[in-house]
Amino acid sequence: SFSGSVPKEMWSPYFEEIAKRTVEAAKDHDKVVLTHASYKEPFRELVIAKILEGGVSLDQITIVELTIDPVVKTRGLYYRGKRQAEQNGMSFTDVFKAYHDFEGELTEEKFIEYVLKTEEGAVDGFDDCPNAKKVDVSGRDISHCDNLDKALALTRSKDWTYETICEKVLPLDVKRDEEAVASGSMDEFHKILAELNPSLAIDESEGEEKVKEMKKRRSTLVQIDLVRDFSQASIEVTEEAAERRASRRVSLIKTGKID
């Protein structure tokens, strides 16, 4: 995770690219919305600077920061992680145990309690954006669309309901997860992670289909870890616990379950 110690040249190309694409889109459209996860202020400052360099004036830029109740956010992450794990034949309980020690099945209540407790001591969290309009999306209903419309001075059809939005967006979310795993675009990234963390390594000498399935399971493990940053949790971990969890990851990737 980013803590100020990572050289700029390692993270800046991505943010420069999305800023460049935003400027290009603005040539043909009156309104352009750029959505991106930039939880550190240097990321946002670079994006804005590059958009300004592209000829957009500061008064044309509106920054929106989405805020959400921590319990609501964590509940959503539970169901997203559960879906991602099950899409590749794993239980979310096993995936969570690949990073933590706890007894029994992982329930929504256990997940929320554990994650919020971990975040209490987080040292590398979200930087507030002082220049942003704050928009609360805790409602998980049409109210957060109302709040966003107000912040951006947008109007929409009155028959555009929360239910109709979900009917269109949720299948796209599922498809995006499936394509992210199947495309192979993350393979090189995962290989780098495996060099840093041998428990994510895959034996390429296995049969083609088996290797394909192992890569899918590894991708899911990495996706869920990046969303919650499980492996960087602030709770101190003993060497014995770290080895135990690493063994679970190896088993999950190889067989889809913890032995």
Side-chain angles (χ1 to χ4, degrees), residues 49-66:
K50 292 300 177 181
I51 290 176
L52 293 175
E53 286 178 14
V56 179
S57 62
L58 189 59
D59 61 359
Q60 293 177 291
I61 300 173
T62 300
I63 305 172
V64 174
E65 179 182 321
L66 303 183

Side-chain angles (χ1 to χ4, degrees), residues 31 33 62-64 133 135 147-155:
K31 293 183 179 180
V33 178
T62 300
I63 305 172
V64 174
K133 291 185 177 181
V135 175
N147 296 338
L148 192 57
D149 287 346
K150 184 178 179 180
L152 296 175
L154 299 176
T155 57

Side-chain angles (χ1 to χ4, degrees), residues 32 35 42 55 58 61 81 94 98 118-119 124 129 142 144 154 163 179 193 195 207 213 223 235 244:
V32 178
T35 61
L58 189 59
I61 300 173
D94 280 352
T118 300
E119 287 188 343
D124 197 20
C129 186
I142 203 64
H144 80 249
L154 299 176
E163 288 72 24
E179 289 178 347
L193 289 181
E195 292 178 6
E213 290 303 312
Q223 272 188 300
I235 298 175
R244 182 167 57 248

Side-chain angles (χ1 to χ4, degrees), residues 59-196:
D59 61 359
Q60 293 177 291
I61 300 173
T62 300
I63 305 172
V64 174
E65 179 182 321
L66 303 183
T67 64
I68 189 170
D69 178 271
V71 173
V72 174
K73 178 185 72 174
T74 308
R75 181 182 296 116
L77 289 171
Y78 170 78
Y79 286 104
R80 180 182 180 183
K82 188 172 185 294
R83 186 194 74 230
Q84 290 175 328
E86 292 173 353
Q87 279 178 201
N88 284 295
M90 299 180 287
S91 75
F92 194 30
T93 294
D94 280 352
V95 170
F96 201 73
K97 285 183 177 179
Y99 297 107
H100 300 287
D101 291 317
F102 71 95
E103 298 296 327
E105 291 296 308
L106 180 65
T107 63
E108 175 189 321
E109 291 75 17
K110 284 183 180 179
F111 180 81
I112 291 173
E113 180 182 5
Y114 194 101
V115 170
L116 294 185
K117 181 180 179 182
T118 300
E119 287 188 343
E120 286 180 0
V123 296
D124 197 20
F126 185 90
D127 285 348
D128 182 65
C129 186
N131 299 321
K133 291 185 177 181
K134 307 297 193 293
V135 175
D136 184 76
V137 294
S138 302
R140 285 302 187 254
D141 53 29
I142 203 64
S143 66
H144 80 249
C145 294
D146 294 336
N147 296 338
L148 192 57
D149 287 346
K150 184 178 179 180
L152 296 175
L154 299 176
T155 57
R156 68 175 188 276
S157 172
K158 291 183 179 180
D159 60 2
W160 197 42
T161 67
Y162 183 73
E163 288 72 24
T164 58
I165 296 170
C166 289
E167 287 174 3
K168 293 182 179 180
V169 172
L170 291 179
L172 293 175
D173 199 30
V174 172
K175 184 179 180 181
R176 180 187 62 178
D177 288 339
E178 293 173 344
E179 289 178 347
V181 173
S183 69
S185 61
M186 295 292 284
D187 276 357
E188 292 305 314
F189 175 55
H190 294 161
K191 288 178 182 178
I192 294 172
L193 289 181
E195 292 178 6
L196 299 172

